[in-house]
């Protein structure tokens, strides 16, 4: 594949990096016959295929059904029972007799005062919030993992494009060195230096091709598609500003709605209810009970065997009061109070962890933006240095190794600049994830930066 040489002329600009990336993607896409996909498309594909996210979603649904089970302790209970029996009696010197009887019973109960059941229901409602927060964290993790895999492929593609462009440039330099040696204008040293540089670039190309294959396989497995071809960033690349620009403003977003803090908060509330439930072990329970029974059985009040049918109905209130349980309730209360202290400490640890992660992510984005600006300036300087070394080589004041080093420096700078841009975009998502505000719609801003 022929890749345009970004440093072939003095008129090259920093946007040549993106042109090289696009050229590499066009060649790779033509080989695979696949149409390029944007980030939102691949995220939607990953959402329906990624095993980790699907497992978290199934766990969330299971927790919802588990919460509904706790509500059953506050609702009426009804049951239907039936029985049938046959009996035979042999009397010595008397007639043998046999009888059968049947019965059907409908029973129902309604809890009137069961504090433990009420607390179980309250805990179940809080557990729904915990399950929802866990699903939100899984969704945010999928967003970051998809974007990471997406940019990993783009970065590997950029590296391969730059290495191939450098290979082309070094090949041209090698050919020029051989021609000059043949006509006697340079020594054999220039030719050997160019050959060594060319061999090194060939080795780098092999490594870059393998790295790209691995990154593509990773993205393919994540989204459940074959031969995925991500769209590159459009040229010129304009990174969005970091807003708000104050780290304290990002930390202030870490309120009770942050998924991690919400989980810890609900965990503390559930632990407090668990203490109340343990204390409720001393309290009585009151139930409303009702029963209706229909029975058929032989009469026992007459000498002749007759079948008697009876209907029995009853309604009442059932009261139970625990008196002594071997100090189990007191020790259970002590246990739950210790667990309540643990949950309170876990909440504080969650708040500190979120605060640290948010500040670290903010500094990472800020540092990344500074690196992008510095590398953009370094790219322009490296291009000027290469042009100057080429001119110096032509007039005899520079040797071949100077040109090769300048070329290597330029392509290394271009690769670092591309990677820095990807890191800034990914860092913005990580910052929103750390602050608990990352949603799938945040991918739209990155999607708008991709090539159409």
């Amino acid at each position: 594949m022929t890749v345009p040489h970004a440093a072939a002329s003095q008129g090259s600009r920093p946007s040549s990096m993106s042109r090289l990336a696009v050229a590499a993607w066009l060649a790779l896409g033509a080989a695979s016959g696949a149409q390029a996909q944007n980030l939102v498309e691949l995220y939607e594909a990953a959402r329906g295929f990624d095993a980790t996210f699907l497992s978290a979603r199934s766990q969330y649904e299971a927790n919802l059904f588990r919460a509904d089970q706790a509500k059953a302790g506050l609702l009426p209970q009804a049951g239907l029972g039936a029985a049938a029996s046959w009996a035979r009696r042999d009397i010595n010197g008397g007639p043998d007799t046999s009888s059968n009887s049947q019965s059907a019973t409908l029973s129902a109960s309604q809890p009137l005062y069961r504090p433990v059941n009420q607390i179980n229901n309250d805990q179940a409602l809080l557990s729904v919030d915990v399950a929802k927060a866990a699903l939100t964290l899984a969704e945010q993790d999928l967003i970051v993992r998809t974007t990471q895999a997406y940019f990993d492929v783009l970065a590997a593609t950029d590296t391969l494009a730059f290495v191939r462009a450098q290979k082309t440039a070094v090949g041209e330099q090698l050919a020029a060195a051989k021609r000059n040696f043949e006509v006697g204008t340079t020594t054999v040293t220039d030719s050997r230096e160019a050959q060594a540089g060319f061999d090194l670039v060939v080795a780098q190309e092999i490594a870059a091709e393998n790295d790209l294959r691995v990154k593509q396989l990773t993205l393919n497995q994540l989204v459940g598609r074959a031969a995925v071809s991500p769209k590159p960033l459009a040229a010129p690349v304009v990174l969005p500003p970091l807003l708000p620009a104050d780290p304290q403003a990002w930390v202030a977003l870490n309120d009770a709605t942050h998924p991690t803090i919400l989980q810890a908060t609900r965990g503390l509330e559930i632990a407090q209810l668990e203490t109340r439930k343990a204390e409720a072990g001393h309290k009585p329970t009151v139930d409303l009970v009702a029963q209706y029974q229909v029975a058929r059985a032989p009469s026992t009040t007459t000498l002749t065997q007759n079948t008697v049918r009876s209907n029995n109905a009853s309604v009442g209130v059932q009261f139970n009061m625990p008196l002594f349980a071997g100090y189990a309730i007191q020790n259970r209360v002590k246990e739950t109070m210790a667990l309540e202290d643990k949950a309170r400490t876990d909440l504080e640890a969650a708040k500190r962890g979120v605060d640290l992660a948010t500040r670290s992510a903010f500094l990472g984005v800020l540092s990344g933006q500074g690196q992008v600006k510095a590398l953009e300036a370094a790219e322009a300087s490296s291009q000027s240095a290469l042009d100057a070394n080429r001119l110096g080589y032509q007039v005899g004041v520079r040797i071949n190794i100077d040109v090769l080093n300048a070329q290597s420096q330029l392509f290394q700078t271009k690769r670092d600049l591309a990677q820095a841009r990807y890191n800034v975009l990914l860092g913005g998502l990580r910052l929103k994830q750390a602050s608990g505000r990352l949603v799938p719609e945040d991918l739209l801003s990155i999607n708008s930066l991709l090539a159409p």
Side-chain angles (χ1 to χ4, degrees), residues 64-107:
L64 292 181
F65 293 124
R66 184 183 302 168
D68 291 337
Q69 297 175 33
K71 188 177 180 181
L74 303 177
L75 300 178
Q77 307 289 324
L80 177 64
S85 62
W86 178 83
R88 177 180 175 83
R89 183 172 62 175
D90 295 333
I91 301 177
N92 189 16
D96 297 339
T97 60
S98 62
S99 63
N100 59 75
S101 60
Q102 304 86 30
S103 66
T105 305
L106 176 64
S107 60

Side-chain angles (χ1 to χ4, degrees), residues 249-308:
W250 286 96
V251 173
L253 297 176
N254 300 331
D255 54 13
T257 61
H258 191 288
T260 301
I261 297 179
L262 179 62
Q263 280 185 316
T265 302
R266 294 295 182 263
L268 174 59
E269 294 172 355
I270 291 174
Q272 292 171 337
L273 289 175
E274 192 66 25
T275 300
R276 288 177 50 193
K277 185 166 66 175
E279 294 171 345
H282 291 294
K283 297 180 179 180
T285 61
V286 181
D287 298 318
L288 176 65
V289 295
Q291 187 179 79
Y292 181 77
Q293 184 183 59
V294 177
R296 294 180 60 190
S299 174
T300 58
T301 60
T302 62
L303 298 177
T304 60
Q305 184 174 356
N306 296 321
T307 299
V308 178

